[in-house]
Amino acid sequence: MPEDGTVIGVSIRGLYKVFGPNAAANIERARGGIGKAELLDRHGHVLALRNISIEIPGGGIQVIMGLSGSGKSTLVRHINRLIDPTAGEVIAGGRDVTAMSPRELRAFRQTKTAMVFQKFALLPHRTVLENAAYGLKVKGVKRAMRHAAAAEWIERVDLKGFESRYPHQLSGGMQQRVGLARALANDAPILLMDEAFSALDPLIRVDMQTMLLKLQKDFRKTIVFITHDLDEALRLGDQIAVLRDGEVIQQGTGQDIILRPADDYIARFVRDVNRGRVIKVEAVMQPLREPVAADEARITMGTSLEDTARFLSQSGKTVALVADAAGRPVGRVDAGQIMFAMVAHDRPSF
Amino acid sequence: MSHWLYGFPHIDSDTLFLIKHRIDDGFRAFTGAYGDGISAFFLPLDRFLIGVDFVLTKTPWPIVILAFAGLIWLATHAWRIVLSTVVIFVLIGLFGMWNDTMLTVAMVVVATTLSVVVGIPIGIAMSRSDVLQRVANPVLDVMQTMPSFVYLIPVVMLLGIGRVPGLIAVVIYAIPPVIRLTNLGIRLVDRDILEAADAFGSSGWQRLLNVQLPLALPTIMAGINQTIMMALAMVVIAAMIGVEGLGQPVLQAIANQYFTLGVFNGLAIVGIAIVLDRASQAYGRRLQKHIDVQHA
Ligand SMILES: Nc1ncnc2c1ncn2[C@@H]1O[C@H](COP(=O)(O)OP(=O)(O)OP(=O)(O)O)[C@@H](O)[C@H]1O
Ligand SMILES: [Mg+2]
């Protein structure tokens, strides 16, 4: 649990970011609806974020997804104000981050946020242990205490025995686990992860995702996770926001985005995803019309279509009863519906 | 009419004479009024220098050699450098130049210490302000290209002849590399790592001490190495204004055409230069051990 026992939500409201010498003047053009390309061509300013509003509930994983240059890094850096907004506000735990004094901001970063970086950004001249303890050192925690806490986290991320090594003696995956330990040792309620796993190879990446999900079960932090990888987004995200050219074009759960893509761009994005693994059975089930028989196959809500299909084929049935967590039947699903939902429908048919 | 093309039409001689005189007179008046105060201001430097001189010349030579060997071992962990140091010092002693060498080493040590103490803060300030960098760079250029003899003149006018004026001339000549490379080293620090330091709420001081200076240290060490070499070169020139050490016999050799005397003392200077250069470079490499690999 975060040290003060609280879970902090973040809300981003009407956020704009214009890069360039005269950002304030160009914000009006952006509000007036000028496009990113036009603003760059005609006025020489980069419209990195336009009118972003996202409610990030405390204790969940919010994924921000989008292609390169869509503004993901810029957006996440507004939450701890590594970047100052041109307009709009960021409220964390009831306080406006954009209005904090330098001293308040430092205290906020020390106690309320921690960050994991794509390029790890470890201190090369410090050992693994010292790196993991860096956030605590900045806070002024005594040496013995911070090293004890850091050692605990190093063990949690499976790096026990490497405490006195230097970052360059570790593989990329191990370095990123040091980055994760450094962030988690800070014990802050908000965890910001900017493409934290993108530099890792696919197998290690999945391991790291598993580790994060496991840790999140125990610690329930508010995690803002940036990625350009849809599978990663779907695996980790309680909520996903999709950015394009600095604008949010869709927000919702992974399932929402797959079943109801807001536009062609997203539809193309989600086309190749393994839908059976993401879509849950309740999204396709039909309400109960006939009475429940005793010998019907039963599955619980929250089961993926893939698992449901496997279950049906193993039990030799074509219809299953869907029950809620308490075991009450709430609907039925048949193999045809599952098959229909598992393929995308925007492709040419054969 | 055409002769002005062949001789550059300069400001007429009387005016030039007057200008030079006015400036010199003004400077002399300033020295007359404040010279004593300025001398008093530099008194601690004199004490420092006398102290180091005393330690190096009055300590039994075996202890001095052992101490140097030990220090260099600590800094470099390289037996070869330690061994060459001992050999060079023994040779210098055998050829009767021990005392002068110790005086020169003392001067270099004090001048380098002073350059580092003054230069690093200036370099840090330059790294934080682009305006300051733009102002300071041309000044440093002038300091490095001005013939070293010219520094002797105002220093002598202000403080007379002796150890302290010599020290100041040496420091002025030798300080630019520390300043420049401190500035450069800090500016080259990886932005991602700085961002991480900020993200954890580091204050300006914490950033400087935990990230910027340690990561800039190899570059700063390269600057210190250059400063040591320049100080050593200037120590000889400063002999002209009364700095004791290996420079004095060299001057004497020039005046009297004593070729061998000149060569011996010259070689002693080369020997010290090799020791200081190798030792400081090896130390810099050791500092770099964990930093460089990361960048590669
Ligand atoms: N300091 C800056 N000055 C000017 N433009 C910038 C600056 N930082 C970012 N941008 C621009 O803002 C836009 C968004 O950049 P950002 O780095 O947030 O994208 P991203 O989604 O994180 O991309 P990637 O996946 O490549 O990391 C880009 O067009 C980029 O060129
Ligand atoms: Mg990015």
Side-chain angles (χ1 to χ4, degrees), chain A residues 94-322:
Chain A
R95 300 187 55 209
D96 187 353
V97 179
T98 59
M100 287 179 180
S101 69
R103 174 188 290 269
E104 288 171 327
L105 182 60
R106 271 206 307 281
F108 173 75
R109 288 170 176 171
Q110 285 172 10
T111 57
K112 300 288 188 267
T113 68
M115 194 159 181
V116 185
F117 298 86
Q118 176 172 8
K119 288 185 225 145
F120 319 145
L122 302 174
L123 295 171
H125 61 294
R126 295 280 173 81
T127 62
V128 165
L129 186 69
E130 289 165 337
N131 264 291
Y134 185 74
L136 299 173
K137 180 184 165 123
V138 167
K139 271 199 257 192
V141 176
K142 290 274 172 299
R143 195 184 152 86
M145 270 177 70
R146 67 175 190 252
H147 281 188
E152 210 182 303
W153 279 105
I154 286 170
E155 192 171 347
R156 270 221 150 83
V157 299
D158 288 336
L159 282 176
K160 199 172 167 53
F162 291 91
E163 289 86 348
S164 54
R165 301 286 184 92
Y166 286 85
H168 71 88
Q169 298 170 318
L170 271 50
S171 72
M174 292 161 94
Q175 289 188 42
Q176 193 54 299
R177 277 183 278 161
V178 178
L180 195 58
R182 172 174 69 179
L184 292 169
N186 211 30
D187 204 9
I190 300 173
L191 185 58
L192 307 173
M193 305 180 73
D194 186 5
E195 304 215 24
F197 302 155
S198 298
L200 309 176
D201 66 53
L203 285 180
I204 295 180
R205 191 166 175 170
V206 172
D207 284 350
M208 295 284 290
Q209 292 165 0
T210 309
M211 175 182 285
L212 184 68
L213 287 172
K214 202 175 94 206
L215 292 171
Q216 173 69 348
K217 254 201 198 109
D218 300 339
F219 294 95
R220 301 214 65 77
K221 295 181 184 290
T222 305
I223 300 180
V224 181
F225 193 99
I226 307 294
T227 182
H228 56 243
D229 181 80
L230 183 63
D231 287 322
E232 187 165 72
L234 293 170
R235 175 132 194 256
L236 296 177
D238 296 320
Q239 279 200 67
I240 299 175
V242 184
L243 279 187
R244 183 179 56 183
D245 289 344
E247 285 180 84
V248 174
I249 47 177
Q250 186 165 13
Q251 299 193 57
T253 63
Q255 187 168 278
D256 288 341
I257 288 174
I258 288 187
L259 290 175
R260 289 173 289 279
D263 62 11
D264 281 356
Y265 172 80
I266 297 183
R268 259 183 290 137
F269 224 113
V270 302
R271 189 154 55 195
D272 293 320
V273 81
N274 184 340
R275 303 161 68 93
R277 215 172 273 168
V278 179
I279 302 173
K280 305 279 183 273
V281 68
E282 58 269 26
V284 297
M285 72 183 180
Q286 301 294 314
L288 285 175
R289 270 188 286 265
E290 280 112 52
V292 176
D295 63 340
E296 278 188 86
R298 275 171 180 252
I299 44 162
T300 28
M301 285 169 67
T303 310
S304 68
L305 293 187
E306 196 177 80
D307 288 343
T308 309
R310 186 175 300 120
F311 170 76
L312 281 179
S313 69
Q314 279 165 2
S315 58
K317 310 221 170 174
T318 53
V319 183
L321 196 63
V322 181

Side-chain angles (χ1 to χ4, degrees), chain B residues 8-296:
Chain B
F8 203 101
H10 60 76
I11 307 172
D12 80 274
S13 306
D14 289 347
T15 317
L16 265 183
F17 180 79
L18 216 64
I19 292 175
K20 290 173 189 164
H21 245 261
R22 279 280 161 75
I23 295 177
D24 285 355
D25 284 350
F27 196 64
R28 253 180 229 118
F30 173 81
T31 326
Y34 300 104
D36 289 346
I38 294 169
S39 301
F41 176 78
F42 287 119
L43 200 62
L45 278 187
D46 199 23
R47 295 262 162 77
F48 183 24
L49 197 50
I50 291 174
V52 179
D53 276 356
F54 183 83
V55 169
L56 284 178
T57 52
K58 296 293 184 289
T59 311
W61 61 266
I63 298 181
V64 174
I65 293 186
L66 269 180
F68 269 108
L71 268 180
I72 289 177
W73 168 251
L74 283 182
T76 64
H77 285 209
W79 279 118
R80 279 183 40 173
I81 300 175
V82 175
L83 209 67
S84 359
T85 305
V86 173
V87 170
I88 287 172
F89 274 28
V90 167
L91 281 177
I92 285 174
L94 283 178
F95 281 85
M97 296 177 290
W98 181 261
N99 225 48
D100 281 343
T101 303
M102 287 305 112
L103 291 174
T104 293
V105 169
M107 190 69 169
V108 171
V109 166
V110 173
T112 306
T113 310
L114 202 60
S115 300
V116 167
V117 168
V118 176
I120 288 184
I122 296 177
I124 292 171
M126 259 173 90
S127 74
R128 308 198 140 198
S129 151
D130 288 339
V131 176
L132 188 59
Q133 178 177 245
R134 268 200 300 279
V135 174
N137 261 334
V139 175
L140 292 173
D141 288 340
V142 170
M143 285 168 72
Q144 278 187 301
T145 42
M146 180 79 81
S148 40
F149 295 95
V150 177
Y151 290 128
L152 301 178
I153 306 162
V155 172
V156 170
M157 286 172 80
L158 261 181
L159 297 164
I161 276 178
R163 245 189 324 254
V164 171
L167 175 64
I168 291 167
V170 172
V171 169
I172 293 175
Y173 180 70
I175 205 171
V178 196
I179 299 179
R180 264 191 217 284
L181 287 165
T182 301
N183 172 40
L184 182 71
I186 292 178
R187 282 177 186 265
L188 286 181
V189 167
D190 192 342
R191 296 206 33 182
D192 292 333
I193 298 181
L194 278 179
E195 188 180 48
D198 284 342
F200 284 94
S202 308
S203 64
W205 271 110
Q206 287 171 328
R207 237 165 99 102
L208 184 68
L209 295 180
N210 294 324
V211 184
Q212 290 174 309
L213 281 182
L215 293 190
L217 207 51
T219 313
I220 296 176
M221 265 316 291
I224 294 176
N225 172 275
Q226 284 181 34
T227 288
I228 293 175
M229 292 299 112
M230 291 176 72
L232 194 52
M234 187 66 185
V235 160
V236 178
I237 291 163
M240 297 200 317
I241 57 169
V243 169
E244 293 176 287
L246 293 167
Q248 295 281 5
V250 173
L251 284 188
Q252 207 185 333
I254 295 172
N256 300 310
Q257 302 174 8
Y258 294 153
F259 176 60
T260 323
L261 177 69
V263 169
F264 279 2
N265 283 276
L267 285 176
I269 290 169
V270 171
I272 303 175
I274 291 174
V275 168
L276 294 178
D277 181 55
R278 293 301 130 82
S280 57
Q281 277 196 29
Y283 181 57
R285 272 199 301 279
R286 239 161 56 79
L287 289 178
Q288 209 150 346
K289 205 167 95 198
H290 297 298
I291 295 174
D292 225 28
V293 196
Q294 189 82 1
H295 287 302

